[in-house]
Amino acid sequence: MSRRPIIRIRVVLHEGAALGPGKADLLAAIAEYGSIAAAGRSMGMSYQRAWSLVDELNRYFRSPVVEATRGGAGRGGAHLTSVGREVLATYRSIEQKATKYCGAEVERLRRLAPPEGPDISAPK
Amino acid sequence: MSRRPIIRIRVVLHEGAALGPGKADLLAAIAEYGSIAAAGRSMGMSYQRAWSLVDELNRYFRSPVVEATRGGAGRGGAHLTSVGREVLATYRSIEQKATKYCGAEVERLRRLAPPEGPDISAPK
């Protein structure tokens, strides 16, 4: 939790389709693990959930972002296509720019919301 | 839907507390309507849901962001406190800066995800 970015971005692609931190992290994990199932597991996600998100993502874009290769006995790998790599890199660039340019405002909000606020986890 | 910003921002204030477009729009509607119930209604939200979100917001920050004045017979008004106005203005400023500085990247993503994509609302 603590490593998550402080600003989370959701880009609305078109009606009913958005790319946010969950799908972006899943793409990154697929690139890392070379497998949809392993990527999902690394995020505490069920196999079905991970496949369903990949299926959604593949429908969002002009061409698929993830390609799976199924081998025998249900085993197989997956990798990002060039479109998938571009989607992920572009999303990360948005996150980085938002963090950079909105840093002062985010700090102002966080100063107004101290973790030791009156009703949250106050020890006494 | 179509008037919603293309970039939606969620600012993580601290563990378990985040400010996103829903809560920001609710604050804006309370400022506009002068009533939590009317603000919720304007967003298609139940009375209970609107009150619950306001209660959450009031706990997040150093001091309440919304003050309600209950009159007789369950009627009453509500307004943003000075902290509430600062929170909303700061959030809107983050939205505007993210939209401004990330515009090129957002356009790139949207060009990769045409609404006439192969599996979404294609007429044939």
Side-chain angles (χ1 to χ4, degrees):
Chain A
M1 287 293 274
S2 57
R3 281 171 301 167
R4 282 192 186 169
I6 287 169
I7 296 194
R8 298 194 200 152
I9 305 284
R10 186 169 302 278
V11 179
V12 178
L13 300 166
H14 46 77
E15 184 73 33
L19 179 64
K23 291 199 186 88
D25 288 352
L26 182 60
L27 289 179
I30 290 168
E32 183 178 350
Y33 292 96
S35 150
I36 294 172
R41 265 198 308 277
S42 78
M43 297 173 67
M45 200 180 273
S46 75
Y47 183 80
Q48 285 79 6
R49 174 78 179 145
W51 270 91
S52 153
L53 289 176
V54 166
D55 186 56
E56 247 183 76
L57 280 165
N58 278 345
R59 289 165 192 265
Y60 285 174
F61 293 96
R62 203 175 277 283
S63 65
V65 293
V66 173
E67 271 175 3
T69 317
R70 282 187 166 279
R75 304 189 67 202
H79 63 274
L80 301 193
T81 63
S82 64
V83 170
R85 288 191 297 273
E86 184 176 353
V87 165
L88 179 59
T90 306
Y91 179 84
R92 291 301 190 217
S93 165
I94 292 172
E95 277 188 326
Q96 283 156 16
K97 284 194 172 182
T99 299
K100 174 177 171 187
Y101 289 108
C102 304
E105 285 81 2
V106 167
E107 271 318 300
R108 196 183 313 160
L109 279 184
R110 285 168 68 96
R111 274 199 307 274
L112 288 169
E116 68 279 13
D119 285 296
I120 293 169
S121 72
K124 59 174 184 173
Chain B
M1 287 293 274
S2 57
R3 281 171 300 166
R4 282 192 187 168
I6 287 168
I7 296 194
R8 297 193 201 155
I9 305 283
R10 186 169 303 277
V11 179
V12 179
L13 300 166
H14 46 78
E15 183 73 32
L19 180 64
K23 291 199 187 88
D25 288 351
L26 182 61
L27 289 179
I30 289 167
E32 183 178 350
Y33 291 97
S35 149
I36 294 171
R41 265 197 309 277
S42 78
M43 298 173 68
M45 199 181 274
S46 75
Y47 183 80
Q48 285 78 8
R49 173 79 178 144
W51 270 91
S52 153
L53 288 176
V54 166
D55 186 55
E56 249 184 75
L57 280 165
N58 278 344
R59 289 166 193 265
Y60 284 175
F61 293 97
R62 203 175 277 284
S63 65
V65 292
V66 174
E67 270 175 3
T69 316
R70 284 186 167 279
R75 305 190 65 202
H79 63 275
L80 301 193
T81 63
S82 64
V83 169
R85 288 191 297 274
E86 184 176 355
V87 164
L88 179 58
T90 306
Y91 179 85
R92 291 300 190 218
S93 166
I94 292 172
E95 277 188 327
Q96 285 157 14
K97 285 195 171 180
T99 299
K100 175 176 171 186
Y101 289 107
C102 304
E105 284 83 1
V106 167
E107 272 318 299
R108 196 183 313 158
L109 279 183
R110 285 169 68 96
R111 274 199 307 274
L112 289 170
E116 68 278 14
D119 285 295
I120 293 170
S121 73
K124 58 174 185 174

